[in-house]
Amino acid sequence: MGFRCGIVGLPNVGKSTLFNALTAAGAEVASYRFCTINPNIGIVPVPDQRLERIAKLIHPKKTIPTTLEFFDIAGLVKGASKGEGLGNQFLDHIRNVDAVAHTVRCFNNENVAHDFGSIDPVRDIEVVNTELILADLQTLEKKMTKTEKMHKVGAKEATLELEVYQEVQTVLDQGRRAGTLHMAGEKETIFLDLHLLTTKPVFYVANVDQKELKGEGTCLKTITGWAQKEGNKVVVICGDLEAEVAELKEEEREEFRKELGLEGSSLERLIEVGYEILSLVTFYTTVSSELRAWTVPKGTPAPKAAGKIHTDMERGFIRAEVISFPDFVACGSEHTAREKGLLRSEGKDYLIRDGDIVHFRFNV
């Protein structure tokens, strides 16, 4: 699994259209609120040119890419943190994802209603962010009430917990996301145990019309400027066009995108940003004629990466035999790489790098 991405936003911003374009899952699309109540879920293979290149060299019987899981979460509305519009259910769905694709409407369509009657990306972003912050404040208040009782009866750990909670509360009260806080050591552990919504890495998906795509509108410029101030990324997608592209044959898709001035698929653009904000890397294994891609956070030690394949491999880890992707391609095979001294033997302290081709040695 690459990562789990939640598609969120106000009602009628094109989340389900985007979901369909990304997954070809056929999620229901409608122009009324709460069309999506339970989240639509789609699992898609991650496009990987390196995986294809390795497969052409070694001709495995089976090639398995890493995958990306999309959650199309129903539209959040003003008051969601208080339960408006089934808000509590929707907010809980966000807790299960690794990253949030905050979809923002940048298209005009008189047949698709807007909650506020006009297109204003900054206002719409602030409505959703406010609801997430209010929900986090509720979570924090419950924790603080419980911890204050523990503090009164002399629980030593309660003092540090309250200190962390107060720091978080200050940030949230200022209208800032909890993710802007940086903590270390025991404080970080306490902070992460809160599982706050606003700690989720976020990027914006600007769902534009063809006018915006051609640079003739102001909405895209507005959301891009806002995201830059926050230090967040923006992925530009024309949901309706992407839905059309998804229905074309594979060989026709790239030509269609070129005509529209779109670089790569929406899926590839989302994956690139998602991997970047989550600091993920991909490594490969070639065992028993099976070529497989795996995704782990950057800085993952070799034994922990082995554990992603099987817990026994982490428990009985001996060493990792590693070839970099460029070296593997240059040599054409593991055998040649070994002969040229390009296959390295790495121990428990080795941190997996993007593009590594790894064979784990272990003994249980």
Side-chain angles (χ1 to χ4, degrees), residues 150-352:
M150 297 296 292
H151 187 259
K152 287 178 181 177
V153 296
K156 293 181 180 179
E157 67 276 9
T159 301
L160 186 59
E161 287 176 6
L162 284 174
E163 187 179 327
V164 171
Y165 298 163
Q166 285 160 2
E167 286 184 48
V168 176
Q169 186 178 46
T170 298
V171 167
L172 294 175
D173 283 340
Q174 292 171 350
R176 293 160 53 206
R177 298 175 62 88
T180 60
L181 272 171
H182 300 285
M183 298 189 182
E186 289 183 55
K187 278 192 169 185
E188 183 182 26
T189 302
I190 295 167
F191 176 60
L192 294 177
D193 282 345
L194 286 168
H195 300 291
L196 298 175
L197 298 171
T198 59
T199 58
K200 302 282 184 185
V202 64
F203 61 96
Y204 295 112
V205 177
N207 189 6
V208 303
D209 53 26
Q210 293 191 52
K211 181 181 177 182
E212 289 283 348
L213 202 58
K214 294 173 184 175
E216 298 172 0
T218 60
C219 190
L220 185 55
K221 292 176 184 176
T222 301
I223 188 174
T224 302
W226 178 268
Q228 285 176 344
K229 287 180 184 177
E230 290 185 330
N232 289 324
K233 301 283 184 179
V234 178
V235 176
V236 181
I237 285 175
C238 184
D240 288 341
L241 287 178
E242 288 290 349
E244 288 181 38
V245 170
E247 294 177 3
L248 296 175
K249 293 179 181 178
E250 188 66 41
E251 59 270 19
E252 297 174 335
R253 292 179 184 179
E254 199 55 42
E255 188 62 34
F256 186 69
R257 289 193 186 99
K258 284 180 181 177
E259 290 177 7
L260 297 170
L262 295 171
E263 294 183 13
S265 70
S266 54
L267 177 61
E268 289 169 336
R269 295 196 295 275
L270 277 173
I271 288 170
E272 184 180 347
V273 171
Y275 271 59
E276 184 180 345
I277 67 173
L278 290 169
S279 296
L280 299 175
V281 298
T282 301
F283 71 94
Y284 307 92
T285 56
T286 55
V287 180
S288 302
S289 298
E290 178 182 284
L291 168 62
R292 185 160 184 168
W294 305 86
T295 300
V296 293
K298 187 177 181 180
T300 297
K304 196 169 183 66
K308 190 173 177 74
I309 301 170
H310 198 287
T311 53
D312 283 351
M313 295 177 72
E314 180 176 5
R315 188 160 52 92
F317 179 88
I318 299 172
R319 67 181 183 275
E321 295 177 349
V322 185
I323 311 170
S324 71
F325 173 75
D327 286 345
F328 191 92
V329 171
C331 293
S333 69
E334 180 182 324
H335 177 74
T336 305
R338 189 185 295 272
E339 285 185 336
K340 291 186 175 183
L342 296 173
L343 185 148
R344 312 186 311 273
S345 183
E346 304 286 0
K348 293 181 178 180
D349 295 333
Y350 179 71
L351 305 180
I352 295 293

Side-chain angles (χ1 to χ4, degrees), residues 111-141:
N111 296 317
V112 180
H114 190 292
D115 263 25
F116 301 108
S118 62
I119 306 301
D120 185 338
V122 171
R123 176 203 58 207
D124 294 353
I125 288 170
E126 288 183 323
V127 168
V128 173
N129 283 345
T130 296
E131 293 307 319
L132 298 181
I133 288 169
L134 290 172
D136 279 351
L137 280 168
Q138 289 178 13
T139 298
L140 194 62
E141 285 166 9

